[in-house]
Amino acid sequence: MSEEKELTFEEAMAQLEEIVEKLEEGNVPLEKAISFFQEGMRLSKLCHDKLQHVEKQMEYILREDGELEPFAIQEE
């Protein structure tokens, strides 16, 4: 089995949107719908994991003095 190139977030989202459109049409055979659903869940997890990784990166921002500090959003 060949190694699959890791999808970017945008590529995974585009594929996920295509799957959702196909499933929303409603004329997909059950076996194919299950296959689409499984692939959609895999893509959803990939997107979620990528977002979590970016969120962790954004927890720290560079201050003017070059030191890292926790990033917090100030709510009004």
Side-chain angles (χ1 to χ4, degrees), residues 7-61:
L7 296 173
T8 65
F9 177 82
E10 292 78 10
E11 291 168 336
M13 281 299 296
Q15 287 184 17
L16 188 54
E17 288 171 359
E18 287 177 23
I19 289 172
V20 169
E21 287 176 16
K22 290 175 185 176
L23 289 173
E24 285 179 342
E25 288 174 3
N27 58 355
V28 179
L30 180 60
E31 291 80 13
K32 191 68 175 170
I34 291 170
S35 176
F36 282 149
F37 181 78
Q38 288 174 327
E39 179 64 8
M41 292 303 294
R42 184 187 73 80
L43 291 166
S44 176
K45 181 180 179 341
L46 181 100
C47 290
H48 175 74
D49 291 347
K50 286 183 178 287
L51 286 174
Q52 266 192 325
H53 178 72
V54 169
E55 185 176 283
K56 286 178 183 175
Q57 287 178 324
M58 295 301 296
E59 287 178 1
Y60 292 94
I61 60 172

